[in-house]
C-alpha cells in the first residue's frame, strides 16, 4: 500500500533521476505541456508504466471553469491527438472505447465521452452516398467494467476490433492522481496503451498495440485520489519535517494502521465531481470530434443529428 | 406504413384465423397467460414473427402499481423462464444481453435490467473458492444501439459469445405495442430470438439460436406505441363505423397524410414512463436473478454486494 | 376532450377571425417571429388564454440541431427577453422559476433550466464586495409539481417572493402543442403569466402579476402533444376530406371511443426527447443568463464557478 | 480546520467526560442504538450541537448490503420515528423536507428520499372522499441549496410552513462523519433541529422548533468524510505513537500545510456512493412512509400510484 498515481508526470516527479526517460516542457502561459518518453525496459519496470510517449496538458486555471480555457484546452488536445494519429483521419476507421463504470460518477468519464462522439461507421456502411466528401469511419463503445459485466473489457473490445477492423483505437478512462489539485485541470495522452480499471480498480489486461494489433491512443483524466495516498503523503511530510526518517519502518506501520482503520476502498474527490465529469467529457469529446472530422465537423454533426 | 406491434398476441388478434399456429390461454385471476406457438414457415411469414414459442403475461392491474402484483408477476416470469431454460441453471453459463439505448427513456429497459443482474462469472473465474455451492456463471452486457455505437449489436454480442461460451442467452428489449393499455402491464417471453431495435428502430440481424449457435430466450416489455399506429387505428375504426370500406384506398391516402404531416418518428408513451421503466426493470431483473440462482439468491447477492 | 394546445399561435390559427386580437409577423430567414396581443376579455375567454402579449419564435430547422441555429435562437430569445424586462437588468432582483417535474423527461425543462442559471443573490448578500460592478441579483427555484410535493406551486413561489422581493419573475415550463412538428423548434414568451402544470397536467393557480404583485415573464417550449389531439386531428381531416361534416356528432362519438380505448393519459413525444430537453434547456438558459448579465456574463460565470 | 463530524455519537467519543449529557446503549445483535441527550447549554456549546435528543442506529454489516438488514434497519428507524412523533400520525399534517443538492451524489440523499415519500395532502384537499379512513396529510419538498438557488433554505421552508401549517416537520440530510466506516451503516435521528448544509457546506439558519414554531425531527445519514479530517486523524495518531505531543503546535502547522496543499474542498467517499445513496434513500423513505401511514401503507401506495 503506497502512493498511487496513473500520471507519468507524477511518477517522474517521484523518480526524478531515473535514466532511460526523456522529458520536455512547453508552456503557452495557460497550459503547461510535459512530454515524457519512457525508453528503456528498466525505466518502465521501475516507474510502473509501459514504454512509450506520455503527454500531459495541465491548466491549473481550469479549476475556475472559464469557458475560454475549456476551448483552448480542447484545441490543444486536438492538436496533440492529430500528431499521435499521424495520418489523415478522414481515411481511417477509428474505434473510440470509453472505459469505466457509468454508474460511478468519477469513473463515468469514458462512457460520457462515448455518448458525445459523432459516430459515422454505420452511415458509411448503409448509406455511403450520404457523405459527398472523405470522412473518418468512426464507431464507439462503452464496454462496461468487469464487476458489472463479468466479462473482461479486453474480451469485449477484441470482439469488436475483429469485426470493425479499426486503423486506430482511442481509449478514454478516469485516472487516479497523487494530488487532488490535478483533478479537473490535467489531461494525459499516451501511445503506450491503457489498463482498464487502473483508475478506480484492479489492473487487467492492457489495451495496447501488442494485445490488439492496432495502435491505441489513450486519453486519461485524473478524477480521484486514493484516500490511502493522502495518508501516505501526510506521513511522508511529517517524516521530512520531524527528522523521523531513521524510524521509517515504524512510520510505515502507522500508515497502514490509519489506512486500514479509516479508509478501506475510499477515494478523495471534489464535491462537484458530477459537474467536473460533464465539463471534462465536453473538452475531450470536442477534441476527438475535431481531430477526426477537421473542417467537416459541422457537416457531420448536422448529418447525424 | 401500417399498424406495428412486436407482440405475438396482438399479431394473432389481427390474424385470428391463420393456420399453422397453436394457442392456449390460462388465467389465475390476476395474470392472463397466452401461449402462442408459430409452427409453420407460412404462418411465420404471414404474421412477421420467427417460428417458435411466444408467452405473454398480462396483468392489467399493474397499471396501478400494487407491490403485491409486482411480486406475483416476477414469480410468474421466473417460473416461465425456468421452463424455457429447461435445465439446472446452476450448471450453466448465462449471458444476459440488455438491448436498447440507455439515453432514451422508453428504450432503456434492457440496460436498466443489466445493471441489476447479479454477475458471477468473473468471481467464478478469479476466486472460484468464493462459492461453496454450485452456482450459475452469469455475465451481462448492454451493447448499445447502432445509432450511438456505429457497430451492429450482433457484432458486439458475437464477440462476447465467442469468448464467454454461454449455454444460454437471455436478451431483454423494449417493444412496440399496438395498444397503449399494454404499456406497463404485459411481458412477452420467447424462444424464437429477437431483433435488436425492433422496439424503437429498424430491424437488424436477429439474435437467435441460428445466428449465435446458443439458445436465445427473449424477454420484451411493450413501452411505446408508434403514433402512426394510433392514426391508423382511428381511421380503421371510422371506416368500420361509417361503412367507408369501399373507399379503402382513399382512407389509406388520408392516413398517410395525417401521419406524414403530424408525426414523423413520434411515439406515444405514458407521462410517467421514467417510473414505469424503473418498475418493469425491477420485475424483470428479480425474475432473472431468481431463475438463475434459485435458493442461493440471497447468498449470491450478499457475496457480490 | 378536444384539441389542446398551450401555444397562442396555434389557438389563433384555430380562431383566425376572432376580434380583440392584434398580430404581427417577422421573419429573418431562419426564425419566424409571431407577435400576438390578446386585447379584449372576450377574445381571452374565447381563446382560453389570459390577456397580454405572446411572442413565438419558430425555427423549423432546429429539428436538425445545427449549432449555429442554437446560438441564433438563443440570441433572438435574449433580445425579446430584454424587451419584455424593459429596464436595466443589472439593477434588478430576478427570480427564475423552473416549473415541471424533473423525474418526467418531457416535463423536466424548467428544473433543467434552473440548474444552468447563474445565481448571484446570495453572493451579493453575503459577499457584496465580490462584484465590482452593477450586477443583477438572481435567484432560481424549481418548486416541483403538486403530485410529487402535495403543495401548490403557487404556495411555494409566494413564500419565496415574499422573502426575496424580486422586481421580475421569469417562469419556464414545458408546453403542449397541437402539432408534433413544433416540438424542439418553437419557444413562446409571454407577459401574461403562466399556469403551472398546463403542459402535462391540470390547470392550477396562475403565476401572474395579478397573483404575485410582480411582473411575470413566461418562457414555454412545446415538448408534448396529447395523444387525444392526434386522434381528434385525424378525425377532423377525415371529416374534411370525406364530406362527413353533416355527421359531426357521430364523428365526435367515434373520437371519444378511440381516445378512451387507446390513450388515457398518453402523450406523443419524439424518441430523442431526452436529448431535445437538454438542447432546449441550453438555448433558454443561455438566453436568460445573457439577458440578465449582458457584457458581464463571463465575469459572473467565472466568479460563481 | 479540525476534525469535523455531524454525529453526536462521534462528538461524544471525542468528549467522553463532558457533563450535562446523558447516554444509553442498546444492541439487538445487528443494530447498536446509542441515545445521547444533550441537557445543558454548556455541554451544547462545548460539543457544538443544539440541546436535545440524538439517537444513532449503527449496523456495521450494512456495508455488505444484505436485504434482510435493510428491512430490519428500516423497521427500527420507523419505531424510533413513531416514538419521536409521539402521537397518532394519521391525525397529523406532516411536511417532509429533503435538504441537499440533487446534482452532487453524496449530497443528494434528501431530494432522493423526498421523491419516494407518499404524498397525500393535495388528495385530502381536492378529493377528500378518496380516503375512507383517517390518514396523515403528507407533503414533501426539496428546497435546493443556497449555492444553486441563491435563496436560504430557511426562506423556502418558512413560506411553505406558513401555507401548509404542518404539525410536524421531518428533515432529511446528508451528514459528515469522522470515520469512513460509518458511511452507509449509520442513521442519526434527532429532535434538536438541523442545519442545512452542515453535511457538505456552511452552516446556515437552523430548521428547528425555535425557528419554525413546529417540532422538527431530523434524520441524517453520514455520506462523506472531509479529507481534512483524515489528515488530522493521521497526525493525531502519529503524535500519540511517536510521543511528539510536546511538539503539538508544530504538528498543527504541518497538518495545515498538508491540507491546504492537497485538499481544498475535497471529500472522502466510497467508490460506490451512487449505489449507497439509492439504498439509504430506500431505507429512510420506507421508514417514513411506514411511520406515517402504518397499516394503511399499501392502501395509500395503491391509491397514489
Amino acid at each position: 500500500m503506497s502512493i498511487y498515481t496513473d500520471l507519468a508526470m507524477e511518477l517522474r516527479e517521484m523518480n526524478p533521476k531515473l535514466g532511460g526517460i526523456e522529458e520536455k516542457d512547453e508552456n503557452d502561459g495557460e497550459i503547461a505541456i510535459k512530454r515524457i518518453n519512457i525508453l528503456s525496459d528498466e525505466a518502465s519496470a521501475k516507474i510502473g508504466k509501459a514504454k512509450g510517449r506520455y503527454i500531459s496538458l495541465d491548466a491549473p486555471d481550469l479549476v475556475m471553469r472559464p469557458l475560454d480555457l475549456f476551448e483552448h484546452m480542447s484545441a490543444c488536445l486536438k492538436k496533440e491527438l492529430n500528431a499521435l494519429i499521424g495520418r489523415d483521419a478522414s481515411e481511417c476507421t477509428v474505434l473510440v472505447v470509453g472505459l469505466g463504470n457509468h454508474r460511478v460518477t468519477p469513473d463515468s468519464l469514458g462512457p460520457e465521452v462515448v455518448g458525445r462522439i459523432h459516430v459515422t461507421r454505420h452511415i458509411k456502411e448503409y448509406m455511403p452516398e450520404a457523405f459527398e466528401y472523405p470522412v473518418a469511419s468512426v464507431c464507439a463503445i462503452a464496454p462496461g467494467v468487469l464487476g458489472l459485466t463479468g466479462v473482461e473489457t479486453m474480451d469485449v473490445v477484441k470482439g469488436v476490433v475483429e469485426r470493425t477492423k479499426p486503423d486506430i483505437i482511442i481509449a478514454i478512462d478516469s485516472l487516479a492522481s497523487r494530488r487532488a489539485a490535478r483533478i479537473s485541470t490535467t489531461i494525459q495522452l499516451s501511445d503506450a496503451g491503457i489498463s482498464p480499471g487502473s483508475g478506480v480498480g484492479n489492473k487487467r489486461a492492457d489495451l495496447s498495440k501488442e494485445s490488439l494489433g492496432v495502435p491505441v491512443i489513450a486519453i486519461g483524466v485524473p478524477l480521484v485520489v486514493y484516500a490511502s495516498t493522502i495518508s501516505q503523503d501526510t506521513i511522508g511530510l511529517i517524516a521530512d519535517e520531524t527528522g523521523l526518517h531513521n524510524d521509517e519502518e515504524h512510520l510505515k506501520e502507522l500508515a497502514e494502521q490509519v489506512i486500514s482503520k479509516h479508509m478501506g476502498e475510499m477515494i478523495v474527490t471534489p464535491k462537484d465531481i458530477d459537474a467536473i465529469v460533464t465539463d471534462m467529457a465536453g473538452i475531450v469529446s470536442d477534441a476527438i470530434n475535431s481531430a477526426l472530422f477537421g473542417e467537416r465537423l459541422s457537416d457531420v454533426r448536422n448529418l447525424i443529428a
Side-chain angles (χ1 to χ4, degrees), chain A:
Chain A
M1 180 96 53
S2 65
I3 292 165
Y4 183 78
T5 175
D6 290 307
L7 295 177
M9 67 183 289
E10 292 185 340
L11 289 163
R12 181 55 172 169
E13 271 172 33
M14 294 156 70
N15 300 274
K17 295 183 177 170
L18 189 64
I21 294 179
E22 276 179 5
E23 55 186 311
K24 199 178 144 197
D25 291 286
E26 293 163 40
N27 198 316
D28 70 2
E30 288 189 318
I31 302 176
I33 302 184
K34 187 169 204 86
R35 301 174 193 283
I36 291 175
N37 203 342
I38 303 180
L39 299 165
S40 71
D41 291 324
E42 211 188 331
S44 166
K46 186 78 205 304
I47 216 166
K49 300 291 281 184
K51 284 194 291 183
R53 285 180 285 173
Y54 295 85
I55 302 154
S56 59
L57 313 181
D58 191 30
D61 286 353
L62 270 180
V63 99
M64 295 175 308
R65 299 200 197 155
L67 287 183
D68 295 355
L69 190 48
F70 281 3
E71 281 165 31
H72 185 179
M73 191 75 165
S74 201
C76 185
L77 178 58
K78 168 198 184 288
K79 205 177 135 200
E80 297 295 330
L81 253 177
N82 276 134
L84 284 175
I85 292 171
R87 48 194 281 199
D88 183 350
S90 73
E91 294 165 358
C92 298
T93 293
V94 180
L95 171 62
V96 180
V97 179
L99 301 169
N101 183 347
H102 73 281
R103 290 165 183 266
V104 170
T105 307
D107 200 26
S108 65
L109 179 77
E112 280 297 314
V113 169
V114 155
R116 295 157 196 237
I117 295 299
H118 299 339
V119 165
T120 54
R121 181 177 171 272
H122 58 307
I123 303 174
K124 288 195 75 166
E125 197 141 311
Y126 297 107
M127 300 194 300
E129 70 287 358
F131 296 107
E132 294 158 351
Y133 40 86
V135 69
S137 174
V138 178
C139 51
I141 57 161
V145 294
L146 183 65
L148 281 189
T149 64
V151 185
E152 289 284 359
T153 299
M154 182 52 125
D155 285 342
V156 181
V157 174
K158 234 176 193 162
V160 174
V161 167
E162 282 167 12
R163 281 162 187 80
T164 59
K165 300 192 194 319
D167 302 300
I168 299 156
I169 294 171
I170 300 176
I172 298 99
D173 203 1
S174 299
L175 302 180
S177 164
R178 178 181 182 172
R179 299 197 201 290
R182 296 238 196 277
I183 295 175
S184 83
T185 69
T186 300
I187 297 176
Q188 174 174 280
L189 281 113
S190 177
D191 64 1
I194 192 162
S195 305
S198 64
V200 282
N202 296 322
K203 292 221 168 218
R204 300 283 160 194
D206 283 13
L207 305 187
S208 66
K209 186 163 184 183
E210 287 66 44
S211 61
L212 290 165
V214 179
V216 175
I217 300 172
I219 302 177
V221 178
L223 289 169
V224 299
V225 175
Y226 288 109
S228 52
T229 297
I230 301 278
S231 276
Q232 205 74 38
D233 263 356
T234 306
I235 285 164
L237 185 71
I238 289 173
D240 287 352
E241 293 284 320
T242 57
L244 275 172
H245 270 301
N246 43 358
D247 205 7
E248 210 166 317
E249 275 315 298
H250 184 209
L251 280 170
K252 277 199 176 149
E253 269 168 50
L254 281 179
E256 272 155 40
Q257 270 183 49
V258 180
I259 290 162
S260 68
K261 195 168 166 186
H262 286 292
M263 285 171 302
E265 286 282 282
M266 295 293 138
I267 55 171
V268 177
T269 199
K271 281 189 298 188
D272 55 347
I273 185 69
D274 305 68
I276 288 172
V277 168
T278 301
D279 287 345
M280 297 309 285
I283 290 176
V284 172
S285 58
D286 284 355
I288 295 175
N289 287 326
S290 298
L292 298 182
F293 298 116
E295 291 178 1
R296 292 301 188 175
L297 179 60
S298 66
D299 296 326
V300 169
R301 191 186 186 286
N302 291 347
L303 185 77
I304 68 177

